[in-house]
Amino acid sequence: KINISAWIIGAIGIITCSFELAVSFKPPAQLQVKNTFWYEAILIGSNIIYLSVPLFIYVVAKRRKTYAI
């Protein structure tokens, strides 16, 4: 049986996160950014680091064939 409410909540979450990610690439007016390239490079780099940690944990757990959940 398909749980439609879980799909709706999941879709809203994905849309919200995608919108937030797109908006975050524009520097805020309060922040004096001299070079937009470095602002975006730091933002992308931090996202890569942020996303690589759970991916690393998943790969290690998959090799051991044990999962925390």
Side-chain angles (χ1 to χ4, degrees):
K1 183 178 177 182
I2 298 175
N3 190 353
I4 194 71
S5 62
W7 279 95
I8 291 172
I9 291 172
I12 290 171
I14 290 172
I15 291 168
T16 304
C17 288
S18 299
F19 177 74
E20 177 272 327
L21 184 63
V23 169
S24 69
F25 282 100
K26 184 181 182 307
Q30 297 86 359
L31 185 62
Q32 299 297 325
V33 177
K34 295 179 182 173
N35 192 347
T36 308
F37 170 77
W38 287 112
Y39 174 79
E40 292 179 358
I42 291 171
L43 190 66
I44 291 170
S46 62
N47 279 322
I48 290 171
I49 292 169
Y50 176 74
L51 294 173
S52 66
V53 172
L55 181 62
F56 175 75
I57 293 170
Y58 171 76
V59 168
V60 169
K62 189 173 182 180
R63 286 186 182 170
R64 294 182 182 178
K65 296 189 184 339
T66 57
Y67 296 99
I69 299 175

